[in-house]
Amino acid sequence: MAGGVKGSTGRPDGRATRWEGQRERRRAEFAEAAITAIERYGPDVLTEQIAAEAGVARPRLYRHFEGKADLQHTVCQRIVRRLMAELAPVWRAGGSPNEIITSAIDTIVRWLGTHRQLYRYLVRHSRRDPAGRGDAITDFTGTFAVNLGRLLAGALRAAGLDERGMEPFAFGLVAFVEAAIGRWLAEAEGGTAEQFTAELARSVWRLIEGMLGERGLRPDPERPLPDSAGIDLLDPNPH
C-alpha cells in the first residue's frame, strides 16, 4: 500500500513497517539460499532443498512468498542482478567499441559458463509470473536493447544522419547475441570461451558497422568513444 500501513492517528504503523522490512530481508536471504541450492542440485532444485539450505522448514519459507512462482521470480531477478553487477565495470571503464563489445561478451560468457546451473534455472523459470511481473531475462535484455538503440541513434543524430530504426535493430542484435551464447553454452561447438567470444564480438561489430555504414557513418572500432557517448546500457532509466 502506498505510503505504508497507517494507524488510527494517520501516521505509518511502525510495527507494519518493521515487518515489511524484515520480510524483504528474509526474502533476500532465502533467494540467496536458493541460488546456493541451485548451484548444488541444479535447475530442478526442490523447495525442500532450498528450505534446508536456508535452515528453515518448508512452510516457514513460504510465509515470505506468495507461492512457488513468487519464489522463482525473486530468485531469477536476483540471478540477473548478479550478472548485471559483473557487467557494470565494462561500461565504467569506457574504451573503444571493439573493447567494450569484447569485454561485455567475455564477461557474460564466462559468468554464465561458470554458473551454468543458474543459467539453466533462468531459462526454465524466468517468465512473467501470475502477479504480472516481467520476465527477468526479458527485462534485462530489453533494457540493454533500448539503451543500445539510443546510443546508436545518438551517434547518427550527432552526425546529422537518419537515426530511425535503431531500436528494432538493437533488439535484433541483442536477440542474436543471446541466442548465440545460449547455443554455445548448450553445445560448446564454437571452441573455447576465448575463441567463441572473439568470433561473436567480430560478428556483432560487423552488424553494427554495416547498419551505421548504410546511413553514412563509419566509426573506427579501435577509437575510444567520447565521454558524451557514455551510457549505462543496463540502466532502466537513462538520462
Side-chain angles (χ1 to χ4, degrees), residues 15-237:
R15 288 172 298 180
T17 300
R18 285 193 298 274
W19 161 247
E20 185 61 28
Q22 180 182 1
R23 180 173 180 268
E24 288 305 312
R25 285 193 297 274
R26 293 298 280 164
R27 282 170 64 92
E29 291 169 3
F30 291 147
E32 286 295 326
I35 288 174
T36 300
I38 293 165
E39 296 266 36
R40 180 176 300 164
Y41 301 109
D44 293 322
V45 62
L46 302 175
T47 305
E48 288 79 3
Q49 292 169 323
I50 295 174
E53 185 65 40
V56 298
R58 186 173 182 272
R60 186 177 175 189
L61 176 70
Y62 274 132
R63 283 181 56 195
H64 298 271
F65 297 93
E66 298 171 7
K68 190 172 185 178
D70 185 27
L71 172 61
Q72 290 172 342
H73 176 84
T74 302
V75 172
C76 286
Q77 291 283 16
R78 201 160 191 87
I79 293 171
V80 168
R81 282 200 294 272
R82 283 191 176 191
L83 177 56
M84 290 172 66
E86 292 292 322
L87 281 167
V90 173
W91 319 127
R92 298 195 189 108
S96 70
N98 264 349
E99 289 171 337
I100 294 172
I101 292 169
T102 301
S103 182
I105 293 175
D106 178 68
T107 298
I108 294 171
V109 168
R110 289 183 180 279
W111 194 89
L112 292 180
T114 302
H115 303 283
R116 288 174 184 261
Q117 302 288 35
L118 299 184
Y119 172 71
R120 293 186 178 112
Y121 186 90
L122 276 175
V123 170
R124 294 190 188 187
H125 301 297
S126 180
R127 60 182 181 272
R128 186 170 294 278
D129 71 1
R133 292 174 299 185
D135 177 314
I137 294 179
T138 300
D139 288 347
F140 167 66
T141 58
T143 295
F144 195 101
V146 166
N147 289 342
L148 176 60
R150 288 172 177 166
L151 177 60
L152 297 174
L156 289 167
R157 185 168 57 251
L161 300 171
D162 183 9
E163 64 185 83
R164 292 175 297 177
M166 285 301 100
E167 185 170 296
F169 168 74
F171 269 86
L173 186 63
V174 170
F176 161 65
V177 172
E178 181 183 2
I181 292 176
R183 178 63 180 175
W184 185 83
L185 288 170
E187 300 294 339
E189 294 178 350
T192 66
E194 292 80 3
Q195 292 169 333
F196 171 74
T197 294
E199 182 54 41
L200 183 56
R202 283 193 294 269
S203 298
V204 168
W205 176 249
R206 290 189 198 108
L207 292 170
I208 293 175
E209 185 179 40
M211 172 60 80
L212 296 179
E214 288 180 359
R215 306 295 176 95
L217 183 63
R218 290 177 171 76
D220 183 349
E222 303 302 337
R223 183 178 181 180
L225 294 175
D227 292 340
S228 59
I231 181 172
D232 184 346
L233 298 186
L234 300 178
D235 183 358
N237 301 295

